[in-house]
Amino acid sequence: METKQKFEEALRTIEKSEMIVLRDIHSFPVYGQDIISPYLMIFICHAGSSRALYNMHEIRFRENEVAMILPNHIIHPIESSPDYTITVIMHSLAFEQEMTQRRMTHDRNKFHETPACLLTEEEMAQYMKAVDMLELISNTPVSRYPHRHDMLMAQTDIMAGMLDACRREIDEEERANNRNRSIFNTFCNLLAANYREQHEVAFYAEKAHLTTRHFSVIIKYIVGLSASDYIEQ
């Protein structure tokens, strides 16, 4: 079944199913057109890459990334590689509404602007085990699992928590990188104003309110040179 047919079939049955897992998707359903879905969708990239506009900003989606596309955001697919392979998870409107009412949606605001986060190989393996369990529950009739709905809720909550943990690590690393870049910019400004008279790393470290050792580590991380070598240049 082609990608477009898989999505059309999913849209026909999503409200009854509550949750749908689409495997082995190798392309977008359309290219060069805006896609606006009322459903929350999670994209998991296993291989290849794709490029699209997300709310008018270009994004790239690569192997081992998981993207949460929140309802009513605009995706404008541009291209995907020949080996592009993803899994897609869709929530029904009623299911998503109940998740919100139960306060089980975690901090999704961070996915509004940056929908994707990169997982390690180990994190991806763990996440896919959770997807396997979600799909098993979703495909099992209520007659066999009377508590199927609550099980789906619980499993979805677990998966959201896994993404939250990965995203927090990324956000913390980004904050640290931003701080390091800010320190380096301060160093460059100080150096431009004082390079004729001041050649000691300690002078610049003190101005940045850091120990000489900590300051030197940051400069080395940013430019690949020691602070003293950078000053001499």
Side-chain angles (χ1 to χ4, degrees):
M1 187 183 295
E2 293 183 359
T3 297
K4 187 174 182 180
Q5 292 174 311
K6 288 183 178 180
F7 274 92
E8 288 173 348
E9 177 64 21
L11 292 175
R12 282 195 294 268
T13 61
I14 182 64
E15 289 304 327
K16 182 179 179 180
S17 303
E18 293 192 303
M19 179 83 59
I20 288 179
V21 179
L22 300 176
R23 302 270 191 171
D24 297 323
I25 302 297
H26 299 290
S27 67
F28 287 100
V30 296
Y31 291 87
Q33 300 178 32
D34 288 347
I35 300 174
I36 306 175
S37 171
Y39 304 106
L40 181 139
M41 294 189 292
I42 297 172
F43 291 75
I44 307 161
C45 188
H46 307 291
S49 63
S50 65
R51 190 163 62 94
L53 296 178
Y54 179 74
N55 295 336
M56 306 307 293
H57 298 286
E58 184 172 315
I59 61 170
R60 291 183 179 274
F61 189 43
R62 302 177 178 87
E63 183 176 353
N64 280 358
E65 286 190 327
V66 177
M68 182 181 293
I69 308 298
L70 299 172
N72 302 316
H73 283 245
I74 304 171
I75 305 174
H76 187 93
I78 299 172
E79 63 181 2
S80 56
S81 62
D83 59 340
Y84 187 54
T85 305
I86 64 171
T87 295
V88 180
I89 302 171
M90 298 175 65
H91 294 187
S92 73
L93 296 177
F95 189 89
E96 182 62 20
Q97 184 177 12
E98 186 172 346
M99 288 283 292
T100 302
Q101 290 172 347
R102 292 192 185 188
R103 300 183 183 276
M104 297 170 70
T105 54
H106 298 262
D107 184 10
R108 288 184 177 166
N109 289 330
K110 61 186 70 174
F111 290 95
H112 277 286
E113 296 299 326
T114 309
C117 60
L118 178 65
L119 275 59
T120 64
E121 293 285 349
E122 182 180 357
E123 289 168 341
M124 179 61 83
Q126 293 173 346
Y127 192 76
M128 288 311 299
K129 286 181 181 178
V131 173
D132 292 341
M133 180 58 69
L134 182 76
E135 185 176 28
L136 175 64
I137 299 168
S138 178
N139 291 340
T140 303
V142 176
S143 58
R144 184 174 174 186
Y145 284 173
H147 301 292
R148 173 184 177 275
H149 175 76
D150 290 333
M151 293 171 72
L152 281 176
M153 282 280 170
Q155 188 65 17
T156 301
D157 189 44
I158 290 170
M159 293 171 63
M162 293 171 74
L163 283 187
D164 265 2
C166 296
R167 194 59 186 258
R168 276 196 299 272
E169 291 176 4
I170 293 170
D171 291 345
E172 288 170 4
E173 182 178 347
E174 185 174 340
R175 281 194 292 272
N177 287 337
N178 287 340
R179 181 172 180 272
N180 289 343
R181 283 192 289 269
S182 177
I183 290 170
F184 177 69
N185 289 338
T186 299
F187 173 47
C188 289
N189 292 334
L190 288 169
L191 190 60
N194 298 279
Y195 74 95
R196 294 183 185 278
E197 297 83 18
Q198 298 293 342
H199 302 117
E200 296 297 323
V201 176
F203 169 82
Y204 298 99
E206 182 180 355
K207 293 293 184 182
H209 307 291
L210 296 170
T211 65
T212 301
R213 182 177 182 279
H214 190 186
F215 181 79
S216 298
V217 168
I218 290 174
I219 302 305
K220 177 78 171 179
Y221 175 79
I222 294 292
V223 297
L225 294 173
S226 67
S228 57
D229 286 344
Y230 195 84
I231 292 169
E232 289 302 318
Q233 285 189 351

